[in-house]
């Protein structure tokens, strides 16, 4: 029997004596046998790790924004709770493979990526006799599904870079890959004044604007992708890019004139062919090494928490 | 992962990209922060800090974009109407006022002139009227006609005085003919051809017979029904065979519409150009994105909409019909004005639906956008057809935070759909206009109208209620379906959710 088409009514929520009690109920920690004290200790640990909550009120506010249900699930999985793993598998196993396929755009590579991350999540590796479980590093600041997506994406980027480093020239020849012409590490340098003027203009931009410019100009992301990342509509990004380009051009010109150029000289310098703008490959490689360290960082974090 | 600046970018882009590339990269944020950023869950201070890193770190941007759901379901898409400043409004109002006053003065000018002229002046030189015409009569012909008028002014019977022109409301379409008995006749035969004649042709005809001269007559009728005007003109002037078709507001068609961005927000000050049989006209969209062209010559038009920050859109084969108002919705995609999106076959609606919002962000527009128009004119779909088509085009998804979202533009943008406040949904299933969503603690909701209204479904058997978290909903058709829960239960129905069985 059932009642259908009933008016929507919110279930009555019993008033809790404390915000922590509310969170505890919301997290369903009791279903996995996590005691309130352990739950509170977990929240304390996350709040102090993030360093954003200094007063009690701030801490409460911070904790109220956490995805506590996901957090408890992840922590209980990391602790080896079977019931938690059942729920995790039911909720996320298929999604994990779907997302991996979406990232790699290939069935077998996607499965391989998901399996690898899944092994990390399960904690097949041990360090100093202790199981290292990646789920321990989840702090509940975003959803668990979003976190899994990011972990997959990060793993994919790391693998891609590792593979690129390991593939030998012989292998590339066998695969028919043409060797790229060596890129001059320092290409024809620009007028230093133009470089300085551009750097100054970029530095003066707000962080979000720099992110938009880098995504659009450097990464060649679409307006829709940038808009999604910033949670705004793509028309907003479209307008922003148009405005930013105009203002940046104006600011660079202004900076050039401040350095003693006439307006005409400044405009000429800006319109000069900058085909050989130096792309600092060393800087790129430096990023590679930091990313490798970054992936280790997560493991270390997990290690520290287990 | 790209390692080199795209050579296709112009110099400025390359310059900026090159400098951006060389920015210093600090400590990378952890996965939690990136996730919280992607889900808009960071504190403002953290967000700014992270954006500073993301602006400089290509790798973290790569991870961020790779981790974004393909269906763009993470974010609730916000639409910001363009900011309008009061200063702009004030100047805009002033400009509009000047235009209106100017237009009124121009429109009224012939009336003033007509009223200030004496009856004698009105009856004697026909060239006064000729000067009001768009078609110029050659000077020699004018002289001949003036000579004829001057020779016979006294002979004109008082009762047959020529009518006093009140004002010209439209381009003259009738011909006044003279004959030897001084009777004046107005004829309308082959008007279009006559009006298109060049002055040279008129002159040649005039050379043979002055009665053939095109004489311009002002339309004296008020904006009353045509029959009444005809009778009135006949009574007053005793003109036989009067059949003037000069009232263009009836003889021509109108075209209007709205310019919107993909979120449905109005685009102000978009330039709209209508190119058709008689040339091009331009209009500008107002603060509601509306534009209008009045008194267009019926025919096929091409409508081009341009706005700053958007791709231009050109819609061909828009039909403007006699005495009809065609309405068109134009949705501009973000981009640069140099890019043009061409649409052949216009989504035109005629008077029948013009009263309703011509471009409805929710239900009407998407359907209209996809309808193929033959010959530029489409039949208006009935409401039920529109609903069915809209439902077919809707896409549904759940955000990672458990909100229901739908897309009207094939997954490009997503809108949050309010179902039940605070409920986290984990499963969704859509069959046409019927949508099912399920979530925490057995929360199960259904919509039969593509998400406009929702009702809660309480699934239960005689001894048990569905209270576990719903993780999956599947329906084979509108009656037969099942709901799976986190604790492994499967609840099925064979009557669209009225009765349930538990496995």
């Amino acid at each position: 029997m059932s009642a259908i088409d009933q008016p929507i009514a919110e279930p009555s929520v019993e008033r809790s004596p404390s915000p922590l009690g509310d969170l505890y109920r919301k997290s369903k920690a009791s279903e996995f046998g996590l005691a309130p004290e352990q739950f509170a200790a977990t929240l304390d640990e996350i709040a102090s790790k993030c360093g954003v909550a200094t007063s009690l009120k701030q801490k409460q506010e911070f904790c109220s924004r956490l995805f506590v249900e996901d957090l408890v699930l992840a922590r209980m999985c990391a602790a080896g709770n079977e019931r938690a793993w059942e729920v995790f598998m039911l909720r996320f196993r298929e999604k994990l493979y779907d997302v991996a396929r979406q990232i790699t755009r290939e069935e077998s590579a996607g499965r391989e990526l998901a399996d690898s991350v899944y092994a990390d999540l399960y904690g097949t590796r041990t360090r100093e006799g202790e199981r290292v479980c990646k789920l321990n590093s989840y702090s509940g600041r975003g959803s668990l599904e979003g976190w899994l997506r990011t972990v997959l994406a990060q793993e994919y980027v790391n693998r891609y870079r590792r593979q690129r480093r390991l593939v030998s020239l012989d292998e590339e020849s066998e695969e028919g890959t043409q060797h790229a012409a060596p890129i001059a590490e320092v290409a024809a340098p620009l007028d230093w004044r133009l470089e300085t003027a551009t750097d100054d203009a970029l530095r003066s931009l707000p962080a979000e604007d720099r992110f938009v410019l880098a995504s659009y100009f450097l990464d060649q992301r679409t307006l829709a992708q940038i808009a999604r990342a910033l949670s705004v509509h793509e028309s907003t990004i479209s307008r922003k890019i148009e405005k930013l380009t105009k203002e940046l051009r104006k600011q660079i010109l202004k900076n050039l004139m401040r350095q003693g150029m006439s307006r005409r000289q400044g405009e000429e310098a800006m319109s000069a062919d900058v085909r050989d703008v130096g792309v600092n490959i060393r800087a790129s490689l430096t990023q590679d090494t930091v990313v490798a360290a970054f992936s280790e960082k997560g493991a270390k974090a997990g290690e520290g928490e287990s | 992962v790209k390692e080199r600046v795209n050579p296709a970018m112009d110099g400025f882009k390359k310059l900026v990209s090159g400098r951006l590339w060389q920015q210093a990269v600090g400590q990378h944020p952890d996965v939690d922060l990136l996730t919280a950023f992607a889900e808009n869950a960071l504190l403002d201070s953290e967000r700014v800090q992270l954006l500073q890193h993301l602006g400089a770190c290509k790798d973290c941007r790569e991870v961020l974009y790779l981790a974004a759901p393909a269906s763009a379901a993470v974010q609730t898409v916000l639409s910001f109407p363009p900011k309008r400043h009061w200063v702009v409004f004030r100047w805009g109002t002033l400009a509009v006022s000047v235009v209106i006053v100017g237009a009124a003065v121009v429109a009224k000018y012939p009336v003033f002139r007509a009223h200030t002229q004496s009856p004698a002046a009105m009856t004697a030189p026909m060239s006064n009227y000729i000067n009001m015409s768009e078609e110029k009569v050659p000077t020699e012909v004018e002289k001949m006609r003036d000579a004829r008028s001057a020779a016979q002014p006294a002979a004109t019977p008082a009762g047959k005085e020529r009518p006093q022109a009140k004002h010209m409301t439209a381009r003259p379409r009738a011909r006044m003919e003279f004959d030897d008995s001084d009777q004046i006749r107005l004829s309308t035969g082959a008007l279009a051809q006559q009006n298109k004649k060049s002055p040279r042709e008129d002159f040649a005809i005039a050379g043979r017979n002055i009665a053939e001269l095109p004489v311009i007559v002002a339309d004296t009728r008020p904006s009353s029904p045509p029959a009444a005007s005809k009778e009135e003109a006949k009574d007053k002037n005793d003109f036989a065979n009067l059949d003037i078709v000069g009232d263009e507001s009836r003889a021509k068609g109108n075209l209007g519409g709205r310019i919107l961005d993909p979120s449905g927000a109005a685009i102000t000050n978009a330039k709209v150009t209508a190119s058709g049989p008689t040339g091009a006209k331009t209009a500008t969209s107002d603060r509601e994105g509306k534009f209008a062209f009045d008194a267009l010559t019926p025919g096929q038009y091409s409508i081009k909409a341009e706005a700053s920050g958007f791709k231009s859109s050109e819609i061909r084969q828009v039909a403007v019909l006699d005495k009809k108002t065609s309405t068109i919705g134009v949705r501009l995609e973000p981009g640069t004005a140099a890019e043009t999106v061409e649409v052949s076959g216009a989504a035109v609606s005629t008077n029948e639906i013009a009263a309703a919002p011509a471009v409805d962000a929710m239900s009407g527009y998407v359907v209209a956008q996809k309808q193929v128009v033959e010959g530029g004119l489409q039949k208006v779909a009935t409401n039920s057809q529109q609903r069915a088509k809209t439902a077919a085009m809707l896409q549904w998804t759940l955000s990672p935070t458990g909100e229901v979202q739908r897309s009207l533009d094939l997954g490009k943008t997503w809108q949050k759909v309010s179902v039940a406040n605070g409920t986290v949904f984990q499963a969704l299933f859509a069959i046409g206009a019927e949508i099912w969503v399920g979530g925490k603690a057995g929360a199960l909701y259904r919509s039969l109208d593509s998400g406009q209204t929702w009702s809660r479904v309480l699934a239960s058997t005689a001894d048990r209620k569905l209270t576990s978290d719903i993780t999956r909903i599947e329906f084979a058709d509108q009656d037969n379906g099942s709901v799976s829960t986190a604790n492994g239960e499967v609840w099925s129905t064979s009557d669209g959710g009225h009765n349930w069985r538990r496995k």
Side-chain angles (χ1 to χ4, degrees), chain A residues 70-243:
Chain A
D70 285 353
L71 176 65
V72 165
L73 181 65
R75 290 300 168 95
M76 295 313 288
C77 284
N81 185 303
E82 279 189 23
R83 166 89 184 110
W85 271 110
E86 278 174 23
V87 175
F88 181 87
M89 300 278 274
L90 205 66
R91 278 181 64 189
F92 298 113
R93 188 178 165 78
E94 279 308 308
K95 280 181 183 169
L96 204 64
Y97 285 97
D98 287 347
V99 174
R101 273 194 294 271
Q102 175 209 319
I103 289 173
T104 59
R105 296 175 187 171
E106 197 199 334
E107 179 70 32
S108 61
R111 183 159 283 278
E112 196 185 330
L113 176 68
D115 283 340
S116 154
V117 168
Y118 191 71
D120 282 348
L121 294 175
Y122 195 74
T124 51
R125 286 186 299 136
T126 55
R127 191 169 287 172
E128 295 171 6
E130 280 191 29
R131 194 164 61 94
V132 178
C133 179
K134 204 174 180 67
L135 278 167
N136 248 332
S137 63
Y138 172 67
S139 68
R141 301 207 60 188
S143 68
L144 186 53
E145 186 184 334
W147 183 84
L148 289 170
R149 282 180 168 279
T150 313
V151 168
L152 282 165
Q154 195 187 62
E155 178 62 23
Y156 176 70
V157 171
N158 286 342
R159 276 165 168 248
Y160 176 85
R161 293 193 177 278
R162 273 201 298 271
Q163 277 171 7
R164 278 190 66 84
R165 275 192 227 109
L166 294 176
V167 170
S168 69
L169 292 178
D170 291 341
E171 280 177 57
E172 282 195 344
S173 300
E174 282 167 19
E175 289 168 3
T177 310
Q178 294 213 338
H179 297 301
I183 300 165
E185 198 168 298
V186 181
L190 286 171
D191 186 333
W192 65 269
R193 289 175 296 183
L194 183 56
E195 280 186 2
T196 315
T198 311
D199 287 347
D200 288 347
L202 284 172
R203 256 197 301 276
S204 67
L205 289 177
E208 185 172 304
D209 291 353
R210 273 206 303 277
F211 170 75
V212 170
L213 279 180
S215 299
Y216 190 70
F217 284 172
L218 194 55
D219 304 344
Q220 296 174 53
R221 296 287 169 191
T222 63
L223 295 174
Q225 284 176 314
I226 303 168
R228 246 180 271 154
L230 293 175
S231 305
V232 294
H233 195 274
E234 61 178 299
S235 55
T236 307
I237 299 297
S238 175
R239 289 189 191 107
K240 187 189 265 285
I241 287 173
E242 195 185 359
K243 192 177 157 198

Side-chain angles (χ1 to χ4, degrees), chain A residues 1-3 5-6 69 90 102 137 139 141 143 161 199 215 219-220 228 231 233 238 274 278 287 290 294, chain B residues 6 11 19 22 28-29 32 35 39 46 58-59 61 65 68 72 75 78 308-309 440 455 458 460 486 498:
Chain A
M1 294 292 288
S2 75
D5 297 347
Q6 290 182 354
E69 193 178 345
L90 205 66
Q102 175 209 319
S137 63
S139 68
R141 301 207 60 188
S143 68
R161 293 193 177 278
D199 287 347
S215 299
D219 304 344
Q220 296 174 53
R228 246 180 271 154
S231 305
H233 195 274
S238 175
V274 282
Q287 286 187 14
V290 180
F294 177 32
Chain B
N6 187 339
R19 302 316 303 165
Q22 301 199 14
H28 292 283
D32 274 311
T35 308
E39 293 177 0
E46 292 176 298
K58 186 168 172 56
D59 290 309
R61 287 199 303 273
Y65 286 119
Q75 289 86 13
L78 310 171
S308 174
K440 300 282 183 189
S455 49
L458 297 177
S460 62
H498 288 277

